[in-house]
Amino acid sequence: NAGVTQTPKFQVLKTGQSMTLQCAQDMNHNSMYWYRQDPGMGLRLIYYSASEGTTDKGEVPNGYNVSRLNKREFSLRLESAAPSQTSVYFCASTMGGYEQFFGPGTRLTVL
Amino acid sequence: AQSVTQLDSHVSVSEGTPVLLRCNYSSSYSPSLFWYVQHPNKGLQLLLKYTSAATLVKGINGFEAEFKKSETSFHLTKPSAHMSDAAEYFCVVSDLGGSYIPTFGRGTSLIVHP
């Protein structure tokens, strides 16, 4: 039982490049989330998926897109990376209303 | 609407002394409340949760929190700090119905001095 896994762990991009962050969970959770964490800002919600087949914007969705590929997988795409997107990205999942389970994070640097 | 305020961005204690991390919340519904811990360069781990059962909640590593509805507070305490407790702590509020979108506080950095 791996919990929530994220790939890659580290990534360096140049401005304008694109990339996809992958997230998978093996706990049969309905809801999945993408957050970014910046110093002094806590965790800010980018997008979430309340259930398979649905996605919704969170607090800071600009510059990002998501895909809920199936119940297990929820990917985050940066189409044209900007330095302001330098951050640590966390994926999380939950059964709904209960505690979230977090992945180990992806450290992204955009030059 | 719901919100969380962590009243201290940094708390500094000596090893062996009590820890108090303060959290106030607001919620339109009966809330679920959580404390998570994040050690440096790690993901978030659940410390404890309140989901409308006992108001005094015990968590891992000797931490506990008390839900006080009249004060809209959910402060985290530990009787005796250990060096390994040095980390970032997040208070989170959510409601149990409908779309589950938790709200995070900005975090409190706990510093433990030898």
Side-chain angles (χ1 to χ4, degrees):
Chain A
N1 192 343
V4 180
T5 57
Q6 290 183 237
T7 55
K9 285 187 169 51
F10 301 93
Q11 184 71 49
V12 178
L13 293 177
K14 295 180 179 177
T15 297
Q17 288 185 317
S18 63
M19 77 163 296
T20 300
L21 282 65
Q22 306 285 355
C23 174
Q25 52 91 9
D26 61 2
M27 296 172 283
N28 201 36
H29 286 167
N30 290 328
S31 302
M32 298 184 72
Y33 309 79
W34 277 105
Y35 294 93
R36 61 177 289 171
Q37 184 178 28
D38 303 292
M41 301 295 290
L43 269 72
R44 293 183 291 170
L45 183 64
I46 304 170
Y47 272 93
Y48 68 99
S49 171
S51 61
E52 186 179 358
T54 69
T55 61
D56 286 288
K57 295 178 180 179
E59 180 185 355
V60 288
N62 291 345
Y64 305 95
N65 285 299
V66 291
S67 296
R68 183 75 182 265
L69 303 169
N70 46 56
K71 192 170 186 179
R72 290 187 64 250
E73 298 172 288
F74 189 39
S75 63
L76 178 72
R77 183 160 178 85
L78 286 70
E79 291 290 352
S80 179
S84 60
Q85 294 177 305
T86 294
S87 189
V88 182
Y89 292 85
F90 288 100
C91 178
S93 70
T94 183
M95 202 48 157
Y98 301 100
E99 69 265 29
Q100 291 176 300
F101 291 79
F102 287 84
T106 295
R107 292 185 176 275
L108 175 66
T109 301
V110 183
L111 302 175
Chain B
Q2 59 192 25
S3 66
V4 174
T5 302
Q6 292 186 240
L7 296 165
D8 306 290
S9 59
H10 296 84
V11 169
S12 183
V13 300
S14 297
E15 191 175 20
T17 64
V19 175
L20 170 64
L21 305 184
R22 299 182 294 165
C23 173
N24 286 353
Y25 72 91
S26 68
S27 175
S28 303
Y29 305 95
S30 295
S32 293
L33 292 155
F34 308 86
W35 277 99
Y36 290 86
V37 60
Q38 184 183 30
H39 289 95
N41 301 313
K42 299 290 186 184
L44 278 74
Q45 179 186 15
L46 181 71
L47 264 184
L48 50 80
K49 61 184 177 184
Y50 166 78
T51 54
S52 76
T55 56
L56 182 62
V57 181
K58 294 188 184 299
I60 61 172
N61 299 333
F63 284 94
E64 63 181 38
E66 186 171 8
F67 173 69
K68 292 187 175 181
K69 187 174 181 178
S70 61
E71 299 176 12
T72 61
S73 69
F74 190 58
H75 301 334
L76 182 69
T77 61
K78 183 173 181 178
S80 176
H82 192 273
M83 294 297 291
S84 61
D85 295 328
E88 191 84 12
Y89 292 79
F90 294 96
C91 182
V92 179
V93 64
S94 181
D95 67 81
L96 285 175
S99 185
Y100 175 68
I101 307 174
T103 299
F104 280 74
R106 293 199 167 191
T108 298
S109 179
L110 178 62
I111 301 159
V112 183
H113 299 285

